[in-house]
Amino acid sequence: MGAAHSASEEVRELEGKTGFFAGWCVVSTSALLSLGSSPSRAQQPLGRAVSSDQIEQLHRRFKQLSGDQPTIRKENFNNVPDLELNPIRSKIVRAFFDNRNLRKGPSGLADEINFEDFLTIMSYFRPIDTTMDEEQVELSRKEKLRFLFHMYDSDSDGRITLEEYRNVVEELLSGNPHIEKESARSIADGAMMEAASVCMGQMEPDQVYEGITFEDFLKIWQGIDIETKMHVRFLNMEAMALCH
């Protein structure tokens, strides 16, 4: 009775924190996790239900990464070979520790994440379920784009500045020997001008575009299938998070 009560308390504590669907799942011999959501709109399910086998696989991968420890640190991601080839590796890893993505605060980075945190991050990548209504689909899309927005907005000020965008573009193109840094900057500048045009319309000659807000970001991505642009292949450890 006491053990069951303790498990129920753990489930209630975890509900809504990870964004997973309701249901029970044994992830280890000593832990039960709820794949549930809290009543608040912000914590509604973001994707399709996850099977107990998938959760068990995620838990095994988590333990692999952590070296059988209860938490993962940034250096543990060095164990994923495919990430070494990704030009924005540092931003991908950073996103896993971003307090905004962990729903723990408006800024800052966590030193380490536990399995609950790990599931919270993974919830952003789950594919949309065909049974979801229009409102749920839109919520899921916004959460995915918010995760991506945070990767660009490195100083957590709510805007992607030209300098931040240049930094991402330069990193993305760093592996191409045929594109020099100045060319990468020109590409970034052109893209930012296009973003300003989409979000602001015709600008006055002396008007300054301060950067891409999240609302601007949603406009830029309108009509683009985020499901094919943002995904993970975690269960087979082929790669972590791929944004392309």
Side-chain angles (χ1 to χ4, degrees), residues 15-16 36-44:
E15 274 188 353
S37 62
S38 74
S40 72
R41 181 171 298 276
Q43 302 295 339
Q44 285 182 3

Side-chain angles (χ1 to χ4, degrees), residues 26-224:
V26 179
V27 295
S28 70
T29 56
S30 61
L32 283 173
L33 292 179
S34 168
L35 308 184
S37 62
S38 74
S40 72
R41 181 171 298 276
Q43 302 295 339
Q44 285 182 3
L46 301 180
R48 67 181 58 172
V50 182
S51 71
S52 59
D53 285 344
Q54 287 175 314
I55 293 296
E56 288 173 4
Q57 284 181 303
L58 280 173
H59 191 252
R60 286 197 296 271
R61 297 316 184 212
F62 176 87
K63 300 298 281 185
Q64 277 186 329
L65 281 172
S66 68
D68 209 33
Q69 297 300 308
T71 60
I72 288 175
R73 302 181 70 87
K74 294 183 185 68
E75 53 266 30
N76 294 124
F77 282 80
N78 295 332
N79 298 331
V80 184
D82 284 358
L83 268 183
E84 296 178 7
L85 305 177
N86 195 306
I88 58 170
R89 174 189 179 281
S90 62
K91 284 183 168 52
I92 292 172
V93 174
R94 187 180 186 276
F96 275 76
F97 297 85
D98 191 321
N99 284 332
R100 295 171 296 177
N101 298 331
L102 294 168
R103 301 167 190 163
K104 292 184 175 181
S107 62
L109 297 173
D111 292 328
E112 56 189 15
I113 59 173
N114 57 26
F115 185 53
E116 174 191 317
D117 298 327
F118 182 73
L119 289 180
T120 296
I121 297 298
M122 294 306 296
S123 72
Y124 290 100
F125 297 93
R126 287 203 320 282
I128 290 174
D129 195 313
T130 55
T131 63
M132 293 168 65
D133 60 31
E134 187 175 338
E135 185 178 2
Q136 289 175 318
V137 169
E138 183 60 24
L139 176 63
S140 174
R141 177 181 172 80
K142 281 188 176 181
E143 289 302 302
K144 292 175 189 295
L145 287 173
R146 195 180 302 277
F147 183 93
L148 190 57
F149 179 83
H150 291 163
M151 289 182 65
Y152 288 87
D153 178 25
S154 57
D155 63 2
S156 305
D157 69 347
R159 291 181 184 273
I160 301 170
T161 64
L162 176 58
E163 199 59 38
E164 286 173 328
Y165 193 69
R166 280 175 175 171
N167 181 258
V168 174
V169 172
E170 287 173 8
E171 287 186 6
L172 281 170
L173 299 178
S174 61
N176 189 328
H178 304 294
I179 298 181
E180 298 179 353
K181 187 173 182 178
E182 284 304 313
S183 297
R185 290 174 68 91
S186 296
I187 292 171
D189 292 357
M192 185 63 78
M193 288 179 62
E194 184 177 351
S197 176
V198 170
C199 302
M200 301 284 292
Q202 186 67 37
M203 296 176 64
E204 297 298 327
D206 60 345
Q207 190 173 359
V208 177
Y209 184 55
E210 297 180 354
I212 301 170
T213 65
F214 182 61
E215 291 305 314
D216 292 342
F217 200 67
L218 292 178
K219 291 179 184 177
I220 293 168
W221 278 81
Q222 189 173 1
I224 300 175

